[in-house]
Structure formats: structure tokens, C-alpha cells
Amino acid sequence: MSSPPVPLRLDHVSIEVPDLAAAVEHLDTELGLTTTISAGAPDRHGRVFLDRTYLEVAADPGRDGWQATMCFLRFAEPDALRAHLDAAGLTYTFGVWEGVDGTWDDVEVRSGDVPLPTLIRRTAPADVARDWPPALSRAQRCGARFLATVVFDVSSLDAAAGAFSSLLGRPLERPAATGVRVPLASGELVLREGSVDRIAGVVLGVGSLEETRRVLTLGPTEDGVAWLEGDGAHGLRLGFTERR
């Protein structure tokens, strides 16, 4: 008898940029997103805080443009997660990640050649970890409130859908037009067929797309998402969706 699925939530997406200071200024002045610089690594790390989620901004001087490189899902109970992964027949490794300002449980999960998000849980400092990521006191200037969706291009949609179904412990619906939606306890992933396995887009939730359009130049709303037009995010595909 399999164990019940464990709740997994969108935690954050890591975005690599060539220069942190330049990226922070652009995020603020052009995109209406304020970055909090990490005191332990002020020249290479910061976070754009949303509600119980965030965008991690990390400097990689060798990178050309901005790229979303990793997606992280949050879990709450290590023992329950181990039991679920064992029952699902997934290969995994529990580790510890020492970040610039704390410590995280870091779980790498594998299902064949399908890339899966890293599962994490902050553990230290204890007073910070108890309420991490923090709640958002007010929306970002562009209206962004939370991390809503991460879009993945996958080389095999069938294999990816099977792997994520095992990870979540439930079957996934597959509408032909939009690929596979992977609903989480909070937020969602979208899987699309692509030539390379990669994060193809990041979507932020806003209270009003109309208000966000007063700050940013967005394209038409398609399937509930309005994407930033042009190269306003230096190669990063950034979208906005209206959810309350």
C-alpha cells in the first residue's frame, strides 16, 4: 500500500545573471521588482521576495544574459517525504546545503533522465527557518505577489509526465494544446515538449493585470498569462497572471 502524497509547494527559482549590481538596478527601475541583497554575499546573491516564494538572483560572470537555471519545491516533513519517495520507487539523495545565510535540507530526486526540481526545507537559523520564505507585506511595485508558474521544456513529454506523476503521487491530466499542468500544493509547473530540457518561463501572480500593464509593457493575455514584451528581462521569459 503506497503512502499518501506529501504536499509540495513552489519555493523559488534561481536566476543567474552576469552582474548582480546591474541586474538589481534593472529589476528595480525597469521591472518594478525590488531585490534584497544577501549580507553574506553582497556582490553575488540577492532575493526578490514574493509571498512565501521568491526569485533568487545569483551572479555568474561568465553568463550571457539572464537565465532561470533551477526550480525548488518546498516540503515540510522529511520522514513523510522519504516514505513517499520510497513508495513511489524514485531514486533520491538527502543532503544538506550550506547557503550564504543559512542551511537547507536538499533532496535530489531522479527518475531516469528526467530533470526534476530540487526539494528543499530551510533548517537554520532556526528563528528564520520557522517562517521561511516569509509572507509578503505588500506587492512588488509591478504588482507581483507570488510565484505562480514555472514552465519547463522537456525532451520527452511522456517521460516527464510519468516522472512528475510519481513525484506527486497522482495522475496528471494532459490537454493536447497546453502540454501537461502539474498542480502543486501552491503554484504549478507546466511541461511542454522541447528540444532541450530547460526552464522556459517564469510566471508571477498579480492582483490586477490592468495595473501591471501600467508599469510594464506586456503582450496579449494568452491562456491566462501576459508575457513581458521584447527583451526587457535580458533573455529571461517573464510572464504575469491575474489571480487573487
Side-chain angles (χ1 to χ4, degrees):
M1 180 176 179
S2 63
S3 62
V6 297
L8 297 175
R9 294 173 166 82
L10 274 180
D11 189 87
H12 72 279
V13 171
S14 181
I15 298 169
E16 293 186 355
V17 300
D19 180 88
L20 182 64
V24 167
E25 181 178 5
H26 185 85
L27 283 163
D28 184 29
T29 59
E30 302 299 324
L31 300 182
L33 294 167
T34 300
T35 306
T36 301
I37 301 299
S38 301
D43 60 338
R44 59 184 176 86
H45 190 270
R47 297 182 178 95
V48 176
F49 283 110
L50 303 161
D51 189 49
R52 306 290 184 188
T53 54
Y54 61 92
L55 303 179
E56 178 183 48
V57 186
D60 177 1
R63 185 165 294 284
D64 181 19
W66 299 3
Q67 184 177 349
T69 55
M70 297 184 70
C71 175
F72 299 82
L73 306 184
R74 185 168 68 256
F75 67 95
E77 298 293 338
D79 290 343
L81 180 63
R82 289 177 188 271
H84 169 64
L85 295 176
D86 286 338
L90 293 167
T91 302
Y92 62 92
T93 303
F94 261 79
V96 174
W97 174 258
E98 296 287 348
V100 299
D101 55 7
T103 305
W104 281 257
D105 283 338
D106 183 278
V107 185
E108 301 292 338
V109 185
R110 294 176 295 281
S111 177
D113 295 327
V114 177
L116 291 170
T118 301
L119 312 182
I120 60 171
R121 179 182 72 112
R122 188 165 190 171
T123 57
D127 58 333
V128 176
R130 277 193 293 269
D131 193 38
W132 185 264
L136 187 68
S137 58
R138 61 178 182 177
Q140 292 278 348
R141 200 169 70 255
C142 66
R145 298 176 180 271
F146 56 92
L147 179 58
T149 306
V150 181
V151 181
F152 286 85
D153 281 349
V154 295
S155 53
S156 171
L157 198 54
D158 287 336
F164 277 94
S165 178
S166 296
L167 179 63
L168 298 182
R170 62 176 184 268
L172 300 174
E173 296 181 3
R174 183 175 171 177
T178 58
V180 177
R181 292 189 176 272
V182 184
L184 304 170
S186 64
E188 68 172 3
L189 310 177
V190 173
L191 312 178
R192 310 183 315 186
E193 195 107 45
S195 58
V196 179
D197 293 315
R198 66 186 182 105
I199 296 177
V202 177
V203 181
L204 306 183
V206 302
S208 168
L209 273 175
E210 181 180 355
E211 292 181 7
T212 298
R213 289 183 185 278
R214 293 172 185 160
V215 180
L216 302 175
T217 303
L218 304 178
T221 303
E222 299 177 0
D223 195 25
V225 179
W227 296 95
L228 186 68
E229 288 199 323
D231 193 26
H234 296 290
L236 173 69
R237 186 155 170 77
L238 187 63
F240 298 84
T241 187
E242 185 174 309
R243 296 180 191 173
R244 299 182 184 276

